[in-house]
């Protein structure tokens, strides 16, 4: 049975249970586990370790407890928007160069401990919304820097990369931003479905 781990911030967390692994939140982790679990019964165990507010440094700090000790076969990582957003809101962000350094460390430490693990890199994203419009002119370019860094990480280690910024930008042709991301950062049900579909599409290439 394959263990699949979803790792990230509040977008991954999505209100998951801290008591057990049955309730994986209201987001893409649940949608992915529902689809794969239904199509291939009893073939997977799914774990959500997303934590709201996390930045790249926070994922690195808990890599032993929430990744290595769990020994997943597959891990997806979605991290980066808080590295930017928290600088504007709390003056506690992580600059683009340091973000890439931490991301490298996350991948290297994970692969050293679990050499056979498959890792999927999800691109951080942001749209204009109630939580982002005040800082929009700076927040979007800085998020794009983190997105570019995530892509470089994927290319460096030959890992699958899921370009979500592009997908959400394209989705704006179908409906306004708040239809996909409630506040410009956190996905609605439709936004989580977009992530889940792109996740599954990439997973099937492994």
């Amino acid at each position: 049975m394959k263990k699949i781990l979803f790792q990230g911030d509040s977008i991954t967390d999505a209100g998951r249970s801290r008591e057990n692994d049955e309730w994986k939140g209201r987001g893409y982790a649940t949608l992915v586990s529902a689809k794969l679990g239904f199509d291939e019964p009893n073939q997977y165990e799914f774990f959500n370790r997303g934590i709201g507010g996390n930045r790249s440094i926070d994922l690195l700090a808990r890599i032993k407890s929430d990744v290595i000790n769990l020994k997943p076969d597959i891990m997806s990582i979605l991290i980066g928007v808080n590295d930017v957003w928290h600088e504007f809101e709390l003056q506690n962000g992580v600059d683009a160069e340091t973000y890439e350094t931490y991301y490298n460390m996350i991948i290297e430490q994970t692969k050293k401990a679990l050499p056979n693990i498959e890792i999927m890199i999800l691109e951080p994203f942001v749209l204009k919304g109630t939580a982002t419009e005040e800082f929009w002119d700076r927040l979007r370019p800085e998020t794009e820097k983190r997105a570019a860094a995530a892509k470089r990480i994927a290319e460096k280690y030959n890992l699958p990369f899921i370009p979500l910024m592009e997908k959400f930008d394209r989705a704006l042709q179908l409906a306004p931003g708040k239809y996909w991301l409630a506040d410009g950062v956190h996905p609605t049900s439709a936004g989580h479905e977009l992530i889940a579909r792109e996740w599954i599409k990439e997973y099937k290439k492994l």
Side-chain angles (χ1 to χ4, degrees), residues 21-45:
D21 290 304
E22 295 305 311
W23 174 240
K24 297 167 189 67
R26 298 178 295 274
Y28 73 93
T30 287
L31 295 173
V32 169
S33 61
K35 172 66 174 169
L36 293 184
F38 181 84
D39 289 348
E40 302 177 62
N42 208 35
Q43 298 302 305
Y44 300 98
E45 286 183 281

Side-chain angles (χ1 to χ4, degrees), residues 91-110:
Q91 291 75 56
N92 192 32
V94 176
D95 66 67
E97 183 178 350
T98 308
Y99 167 85
E100 191 163 356
T101 298
Y102 290 152
Y103 220 136
N104 267 295
M105 294 173 69
I106 289 167
I107 301 303
E108 288 176 1
Q109 289 187 29
T110 300

Side-chain angles (χ1 to χ4, degrees), residues 49-187:
R49 291 294 183 271
I51 295 180
N54 267 199
R55 303 153 298 158
S56 55
I57 190 171
D58 301 303
L59 259 63
L60 179 61
R62 59 188 179 86
I63 191 170
K64 182 70 164 65
S65 60
D66 285 353
V67 179
I68 293 170
N69 290 351
L70 192 60
K71 297 180 172 60
D73 299 289
I74 299 147
M75 173 174 65
S76 74
I77 305 174
L78 173 53
I79 198 71
V81 70
N82 288 330
D83 293 64
V84 181
W85 195 21
H86 282 205
E87 182 60 28
F88 298 124
E89 289 281 355
L90 305 168
Q91 291 75 56
N92 192 32
V94 176
D95 66 67
E97 183 178 350
T98 308
Y99 167 85
E100 191 163 356
T101 298
Y102 290 152
Y103 220 136
N104 267 295
M105 294 173 69
I106 289 167
I107 301 303
E108 288 176 1
Q109 289 187 29
T110 300
K111 292 179 74 68
K112 181 178 180 181
L114 305 169
N116 296 320
I117 193 173
E118 298 272 9
I119 302 174
M120 299 166 63
I121 304 294
L122 282 67
E123 181 181 38
F125 54 83
V126 68
L127 295 177
K128 185 177 285 187
T130 56
T132 62
E133 57 190 353
E134 181 181 354
F135 315 106
W136 180 249
D137 290 344
R138 291 175 293 159
L139 192 148
R140 174 67 187 231
E142 285 296 325
T143 304
E144 289 175 350
K145 290 180 183 178
R146 309 311 188 279
K151 186 175 183 180
R152 285 194 295 272
I153 294 290
E155 291 172 346
K156 177 179 178 178
Y157 296 98
N158 195 28
L159 305 175
F161 180 74
I162 302 175
L164 294 173
M165 185 88 86
E166 168 196 332
K167 301 299 181 181
F168 278 109
D169 284 347
R170 199 176 298 171
L172 294 177
Q173 299 172 21
L174 304 174
K178 66 181 180 181
Y179 184 85
W180 306 103
L181 303 180
D183 57 1
V185 173
H186 299 97

